[in-house]
Amino acid sequence: MDFTDVSLTALRVFRAVAEQGTFTAAAVSLGYTQSAVSRQIAAIERAAGAELLERRRDGVRLTAAGRVVMRRATVVLDEIEATARELSGLEGQAGTVRLGWFPSAGAVLVPRALAALRRSHPGLRVVGREGSTPALVRALRAGSLDLAVLASAPPFRPPDAESPPLVLRTLTERALCLAVPAAHPLAREDFVDVADLRGQRWIASGAAGEDRLLGVWPGLDERPEIVHTTRDWLAKLHLVAAGCGLTTVPAALAAVAPPGVRVLPVRGGPQEQRRLLLARLPHPPSEPAGLVAAALRAAALDLDTPSPPSR
């Protein structure tokens, strides 16, 4: 089989595997069986005459040949999608930017930036997706995202060890906060003392097999009591409002906390800082991508304006 005979389906499957990091996750995202994904990958590797994916215990990684195929495949698939949009009668756009973000950034930061762009550049088209920071980094590497808003915690290491390094810009850095039920004794003050976190019940998020669960205050000198685990940050906050437990939140989420939740700073221990990063590949960004980056920076500056604790 000559590589010029590779199907668009095989290219889409290959891109999905590279982005998702595993055959299983790619199959779920595409609605395929895992065996169908495996067959498509086997076919494209036969056509390439080389291994395109390095199979590892923690997932897959693009080989040198795989990066070549991914770069070209992304161009082909983007052009096909652009053709489909034109044929469907959509008006011409001033530019399209593919933006990714981690879940809580989609609550406040990204909507503010996109609202500003709709006013200032109504012809600019932003195609967005939510994902975990590792998944977004893989998508950047695969060439299917132009920009990504990532989360970073101390010691603030680069999000991956691949070469060339991603270009990272800090959008904001703020202290981690605590979401507390409004009727909880800890909600009576305008801050929580870290010593009072012993023996509390926690609402966490995380995937099976992860070493740490997000939502539990870092550095507790006890085994935390996890009463609920969910990936949805809004579900976590509503569980807090229902009095089910406490959870950690970025400071920016105070603006969208539901009734019955107080978002408070924590004192008495080391400051737990969290960064929002804007990441891209190390080549000059397009003009539309530059506009989106500027809007995200402006929205982040707005979020950095101090606000009183929520009640």
Side-chain angles (χ1 to χ4, degrees):
M1 177 181 177
D2 188 89
F3 197 82
T4 57
D5 295 324
V6 167
S7 69
L8 289 175
T9 297
L11 293 178
R12 290 192 181 97
V13 170
F14 177 64
R15 181 169 70 174
V17 173
E19 288 182 4
Q20 298 294 331
T22 68
F23 282 48
T24 302
V28 171
S29 71
L30 294 168
Y32 292 176
T33 64
Q34 188 168 337
S35 60
V37 169
S38 297
R39 286 195 298 271
Q40 292 292 338
I41 295 301
I44 198 171
E45 287 188 322
R46 283 197 303 271
E51 187 177 72
L52 304 180
L53 296 166
E54 178 188 353
R55 279 73 165 174
R56 299 153 54 97
R57 292 185 61 183
D58 59 348
V60 300
R61 179 177 294 179
L62 289 170
T63 63
R67 286 192 289 273
V68 171
V69 173
M70 180 55 63
R71 184 171 67 251
R72 301 295 188 181
T74 297
V75 172
V76 170
L77 293 173
D78 285 350
E79 287 297 319
I80 290 294
E81 290 164 6
T83 301
R85 288 194 298 272
E86 288 186 28
L87 291 175
S88 68
L90 293 179
E91 296 181 2
Q93 302 290 338
T96 297
V97 178
R98 300 162 303 172
L99 173 67
W101 60 82
F102 71 97
S104 64
V108 181
L109 174 70
V110 172
R112 287 192 185 189
L114 296 186
L117 282 169
R118 286 177 65 86
R119 294 189 296 269
S120 62
H121 297 83
L124 180 61
R125 182 171 183 263
V126 178
V127 179
R129 75 169 82 164
E130 178 187 289
S132 67
T133 287
L136 295 174
V137 169
R138 288 194 297 268
L140 280 172
R141 293 287 184 193
S144 56
L145 285 179
D146 302 303
L147 299 169
V149 180
L150 311 179
S152 183
F156 301 121
R157 296 188 180 95
D160 70 1
E162 297 292 323
S163 184
L166 296 174
V167 174
L168 303 173
R169 176 160 184 171
T170 299
L171 294 173
T172 184
E173 180 174 335
R174 299 181 72 181
L176 189 65
C177 291
L178 196 69
V180 182
H184 195 284
L186 292 180
R188 295 170 185 165
E189 304 294 336
D190 288 335
F191 65 90
V192 175
D193 192 293
V194 71
D196 293 331
L197 297 182
R198 288 184 58 84
Q200 299 294 336
R201 292 151 57 92
W202 297 93
I203 301 162
S205 60
E210 288 183 351
D211 292 334
R212 65 189 183 97
L213 292 175
L214 302 178
V216 178
W217 191 259
L220 290 181
D221 58 351
E222 64 176 358
R223 184 179 181 85
E225 181 185 357
I226 309 290
V227 290
H228 297 290
T229 303
T230 173
R231 289 180 175 275
D232 187 340
W233 66 267
L234 186 57
K236 287 202 296 181
L237 288 178
H238 279 286
L239 287 168
V240 172
C244 298
L246 316 181
T247 195
T248 60
V249 292
L253 287 189
V256 292
V261 175
R262 292 201 69 197
V263 176
L264 301 169
V266 177
R267 299 183 185 175
Q271 281 288 298
E272 283 293 335
Q273 298 296 114
R274 294 295 183 268
R275 287 179 185 169
L276 268 66
L277 303 174
L278 184 61
R280 62 174 174 82
L281 288 173
H283 53 66
S286 66
E287 182 179 353
L291 292 171
V292 174
L296 288 165
R297 290 194 296 269
L301 286 172
D302 186 46
L303 288 176
D304 272 341
T305 302
S307 57
S310 67
R311 290 186 179 273

